[in-house]
Amino acid sequence: MCGIVGGVAERNIVPILLEGLRRLEYRGYDSSGIALLDSDGQIQRLRSIGKIKSLDEKIQNHSGTFSGHIGIAHTRWATHGIPSENNAHPHICNNRVAVVHNGIIENYAELKIQQLAQGYRFTSETDTEVVAHAIHKALSELQDAEAERPITDNAYISNERRSSSRDDQNRLVRAVQLAVKQFKGAYALGVVAIDDPETLVVARKGSPLVIGIGIGEHFIASDVSALLPVTQNFIFLEEGDVAKIQRNHLEIYNHAGECIEREIKQSNLSANAVELGEHRHFMHKEIFEQPQAVIDTLEGRITQEHVLISAFGFQAEDVFKTIQQVQIIACGTSYHSGLVAKYWFEDIIGMSCQVEVASEYRYRNPVIIDNTLFVTISQSGETADTLAALQQIKGLKQHQNIPTLTICNVAESSLTRESDLTFLTHAGPEIGVASTKAFTTQLVALALLLTCLGKAKGLLSEKREITIVKGLQKLPGLVKNALAHEDQIMEIAKTFADKDNALFLGRGTMYPIAMEGALKLKEISYIHAEAYPAGELKHGPLALIDEHIPVVAIAPHDDLLEKLKSNLQEVNARGGQMIVFEDEKSNISSEPGFKVVKTTTNVGRITAPITFNIPLQLLSYHVALIKGTDVDQPRNLAKSVTVE
């Protein structure tokens, strides 16, 4: 969703905030803004619609007058209110308080009615403005209460003055603590106020927020990538935390208001990990990073012949021995990875595996039996519905044996902290909204999980384990070979130049891969695309087929190949334009109406779906280029869905 960055430093904070916003632009790009406390302790603000470069141009037009040592900034993905300058963050109340917010205040309508009655004026359509007003109201009430405190004798005066000074220093923290008690929903907040021009206060519930530790300076951001140019050291705030941040001082309070310490962790990411390099778009860069991402995700998790169960945690083997079935919960692309794994679990080790969309699962009454491994999958580890589903299940754990495991690309995310077991994929930062390498490494992680569960339960022979390991060791090379077909795919992409619809077909594990291919195409090229099991053609989709709808099919050399060929002929007979990505052994001939890409060969049940997904990513990318869309930041979408 939205991206937050802020800081308190001795130097001018504006260049740091701008660079942070650029690195967070994948989280929101409808509008952006910065608020500063200037040398006079007053709030200055600039906001702009559109990309960060528009905000940068506004700042440049102020000829160096827009500067300060403390500030907050925001890049917005619209929820409440259209993209506009009035709706852009930061929001200010009575020139006293400025706020940036990632998340959603679910009871904002109720709070707005109360605040209107109290005399507050609203200048936007956003839910965030109630946050600024609530903090302002709390500040005013605290100040009034301090002013009315009685002084009984002269001996008390000096103590009272010292107490008042301490109150001034902590008033903003206390105001934020009081205000957040009113909010229902999710929030990551950055707050500055003229009451304390040396302090930045942050609060976190349901939305991610990190503190970057510098030398004589501190920073905040929605994720570490925004702050890599200025620090490698981070504190990951916990649920309910409120922090007081100054140049040389940091205090963190937990949900109970107790002053506590949080561990400082060092990031191993480099600042150039989120640079484009020689690539035109992040999506293209990330597609071509997949061979290395697979290598990194496998490293330390497999030997020459075996998978290490300890890769899932030191207690994983004991946990896995008790498991009778697997329940996977995820959203979007991560859901598709779970669907592939369902075939693997049931086909290879004979273990029941259920897969559900998190946003549906959390709002019904699921029946989950003892000894179920509850697996959540998320690139960011902050997906709101997936996190809520996990928290729902944790409420049952006191009565049932339901161990939880998260597969995630981000250490110290909410999902990793909430789960019993964690498997971190090593995809590295993924900036493009359309997930590529995160999906591939999730599939690798699920293949390792399948193998470990099979071993622990005695459902997988040593010979089969060795076969799986050998296949995974070949996978980086298979992905690299699939990428070598880019030029041919670029030509095929021209088929879609004047098309508004497409159909994707697959059977077995290739059906969820077809779903993922259709999702990628519609995400970044805005072409309506649907995926179907090829065997379902006669049950409706065949009615759509004509010369105006390209049909993309995946044809591995497996037991369903002959049936798939029959399905393809049904499409061809009705004038459909066929694009087939096949195994070299599948022997589907290029003929009028057929464009065939011999994508790979010598793939197995696990490596096949991972490898065949690669050309579908390239296809969606090159179609988007032809359509002229914004590849990395497609309209209406955000990278991390941290609110419902």
Side-chain angles (χ1 to χ4, degrees):
M1 289 299 178
C2 306
I4 289 173
V5 64
V8 188
E10 189 171 1
R11 50 182 161 165
N12 181 18
I13 200 77
V14 173
I16 297 170
L17 298 183
L18 269 175
E19 179 59 25
L21 288 181
R22 290 188 189 99
R23 290 167 175 263
L24 291 178
E25 195 168 14
Y26 69 93
R27 296 180 66 95
Y29 38 85
D30 295 331
S31 58
S32 59
I34 294 176
L36 306 169
L37 290 174
D38 63 19
S39 57
D40 296 324
Q42 300 303 305
I43 297 173
Q44 292 190 49
R45 176 179 63 181
L46 287 176
R47 298 181 291 178
S48 180
I49 303 172
K51 306 287 186 178
I52 305 303
K53 64 181 180 182
S54 299
L55 178 64
D56 192 7
E57 290 169 0
K58 274 196 170 184
I59 292 171
Q60 298 306 319
N61 290 337
H62 277 68
S63 304
T65 60
F66 188 73
S67 65
H69 301 299
I70 177 171
I72 50 178
H74 189 272
T75 181
R76 182 173 185 251
W77 186 84
T79 53
H80 293 81
I82 62 171
S84 69
E85 189 167 311
N86 280 348
N87 287 333
H89 298 213
H91 288 287
I92 297 174
C93 180
N94 293 340
N95 295 318
R96 185 180 184 183
V97 177
V99 172
V100 290
H101 169 220
N102 174 28
I104 186 166
I105 306 301
E106 295 175 355
N107 61 331
Y108 86 99
E110 172 190 333
L111 292 173
K112 185 173 182 178
I113 292 170
Q114 295 174 5
Q115 292 171 355
L116 285 169
Q118 292 163 354
Y120 285 99
R121 186 172 66 92
F122 284 78
T123 61
S124 77
E125 304 167 283
T126 72
D127 57 325
T128 301
E129 205 169 356
V130 302
V131 175
H133 295 332
I135 294 171
H136 180 277
K137 177 71 171 173
L139 273 173
S140 298
E141 290 177 346
L142 287 170
Q143 188 175 30
D144 291 345
E146 291 158 13
E148 292 172 3
R149 184 181 300 160
I151 301 175
T152 56
D153 55 48
N154 290 334
Y156 184 70
I157 291 176
S158 60
N159 290 333
E160 177 67 15
R161 285 173 178 165
R162 284 195 294 271
S163 175
S164 177
S165 175
R166 288 194 298 269
D167 286 340
D168 289 343
Q169 292 174 7
N170 288 302
R171 189 186 301 144
L172 184 57
V173 175
R174 292 164 58 204
V176 171
Q177 289 171 324
L178 289 171
V180 297
K181 292 178 180 179
Q182 305 173 46
F183 306 149
K184 296 178 182 177
Y187 53 79
L189 302 176
V191 184
V192 293
I194 63 173
D195 299 59
D196 191 348
E198 303 298 326
T199 299
L200 165 61
V201 175
V202 297
R204 187 231 166 182
K205 178 186 175 185
S207 294
L209 199 64
V210 301
I211 298 174
I213 310 299
I215 300 173
E217 53 189 12
H218 287 102
F219 308 96
I220 64 164
S222 295
D223 69 49
V224 299
S225 65
L227 302 178
L228 290 174
V230 290
T231 185
Q232 297 286 123
N233 298 310
F234 298 94
I235 292 174
F236 296 84
L237 292 178
E238 301 277 348
E239 193 81 347
D241 281 354
V242 173
K244 174 184 177 181
I245 302 169
Q246 298 174 321
R247 277 206 315 111
N248 293 299
H249 185 67
L250 174 65
E251 294 175 8
I252 301 176
Y253 300 87
N254 65 13
H255 68 281
E258 302 162 332
C259 191
I260 47 86
E261 291 188 7
R262 298 281 185 224
E263 182 182 359
I264 298 175
K265 300 198 174 184
Q266 189 170 58
S267 171
N268 58 10
L269 295 175
S270 63
N272 62 12
V274 291
E275 301 292 343
L276 273 172
E278 62 184 12
H279 297 272
R280 185 174 172 184
H281 297 96
F282 280 108
M283 182 180 181
H284 192 259
K285 175 178 182 269
E286 289 154 9
I287 288 172
F288 277 83
E289 287 176 340
Q290 288 176 112
Q292 187 61 48
V294 171
I295 292 170
D296 292 343
T297 299
L298 290 173
E299 185 178 0
R301 275 81 181 258
I302 61 173
T303 65
Q304 284 299 105
E305 296 184 336
H306 300 289
V307 176
L308 304 176
I309 300 180
S310 59
F312 290 88
F314 70 90
Q315 76 274 45
E317 186 164 9
D318 291 337
V319 171
F320 289 170
K321 285 178 180 178
T322 70
I323 298 304
Q324 298 299 320
Q325 72 166 9
V326 175
Q327 173 70 64
I328 296 175
I329 299 295
C331 300
T333 287
S334 298
Y335 170 68
H336 295 158
S337 70
L339 291 176
V340 174
K342 176 179 173 66
Y343 284 92
W344 290 343
F345 277 101
E346 297 184 349
D347 181 36
I348 297 173
I349 64 172
M351 179 174 285
S352 173
C353 178
Q354 306 301 317
V355 187
E356 293 197 53
V357 175
S359 56
E360 290 296 314
Y361 186 86
R362 62 177 290 202
Y363 287 115
R364 65 179 184 79
N365 242 349
V367 176
I368 187 163
I369 64 172
D370 280 353
N371 304 316
T372 294
L373 181 64
F374 191 86
V375 180
T376 53
I377 310 174
S378 169
Q379 188 280 139
S380 66
E382 303 292 347
T383 308
D385 288 310
T386 307
L387 180 59
L390 172 60
Q391 292 167 338
Q392 177 182 346
I393 287 300
K394 287 180 69 177
L396 302 175
K397 288 182 62 175
Q398 57 184 319
H399 307 296
Q400 298 174 262
N401 178 36
I402 311 172
T404 58
L405 163 69
T406 192
I407 294 172
C408 180
N409 190 40
V410 180
E412 295 301 320
S413 66
S414 297
L415 279 174
T416 61
R417 290 197 297 269
E418 295 267 0
S419 297
D420 300 323
L421 303 173
T422 296
F423 185 98
L424 289 177
T425 60
H426 293 158
E430 189 178 67
I431 304 301
V433 166
S435 181
T436 52
K437 60 180 180 174
F439 178 65
T440 297
T441 53
Q442 285 171 0
L443 289 173
V444 171
L446 287 163
L448 296 176
L449 176 61
L450 156 88
T451 310
C452 290
L453 272 172
K455 285 175 62 175
K457 297 289 294 181
L459 301 172
L460 190 76
S461 69
E462 185 174 0
K463 181 179 179 181
R464 193 69 178 272
E465 179 187 4
I466 293 171
T467 300
I468 292 172
V469 169
K470 296 300 182 187
L472 290 172
Q473 289 169 341
K474 290 193 316 183
L475 185 57
L478 292 171
V479 172
K480 188 174 181 180
N481 290 340
L483 290 169
H485 294 280
E486 183 174 24
D487 289 345
Q488 189 178 0
I489 293 168
M490 287 172 63
E491 286 299 311
I492 289 174
K494 295 176 183 177
T495 305
F496 294 80
D498 60 346
K499 301 299 188 296
D500 297 314
N501 299 282
L503 191 63
F504 285 70
L505 301 176
R507 301 197 73 144
T509 55
M510 299 305 158
Y511 170 45
I513 295 301
M515 295 172 70
E516 176 63 13
L519 175 62
K520 287 290 161 286
L521 190 67
K522 61 184 139 190
E523 276 183 316
I524 64 170
S525 70
Y526 316 150
I527 291 175
H528 172 247
E530 289 190 74
Y532 272 89
E536 286 291 292
L537 271 174
K538 296 189 187 73
H539 295 273
L542 206 55
L544 298 172
I545 303 300
D546 60 22
E547 67 276 12
H548 301 297
I549 182 164
V551 180
V552 180
I554 311 165
H557 188 259
D558 61 15
D559 297 341
L560 294 172
L561 177 61
E562 293 307 315
K563 293 184 182 298
L564 177 65
K565 286 182 177 180
S566 297
N567 301 140
L568 302 187
Q569 289 302 328
E570 292 167 355
V571 173
N572 191 38
R574 288 156 179 83
Q577 301 178 55
M578 287 300 314
I579 298 162
V580 183
F581 296 98
E582 70 157 3
D583 189 300
E584 290 178 6
K585 298 177 183 176
S586 296
N587 295 321
I588 298 175
S589 302
S590 290
E591 56 184 86
F594 273 76
K595 295 179 180 178
V596 179
V597 181
K598 295 186 179 297
T599 304
T600 189
T601 192
N602 198 26
V603 289
R605 296 189 185 199
I606 288 175
T607 54
I610 300 174
T611 305
F612 275 105
N613 180 59
I614 305 303
L616 300 186
Q617 294 175 350
L618 286 172
L619 178 65
S620 64
Y621 173 76
H622 286 289
V623 172
L625 290 185
I626 290 169
K627 290 283 191 178
T629 61
D630 190 335
V631 173
D632 286 333
Q633 298 168 353
R635 67 187 184 201
N636 303 333
L637 299 179
K639 180 66 177 173
S640 180
V641 183
T642 56
V643 298
E644 292 185 62

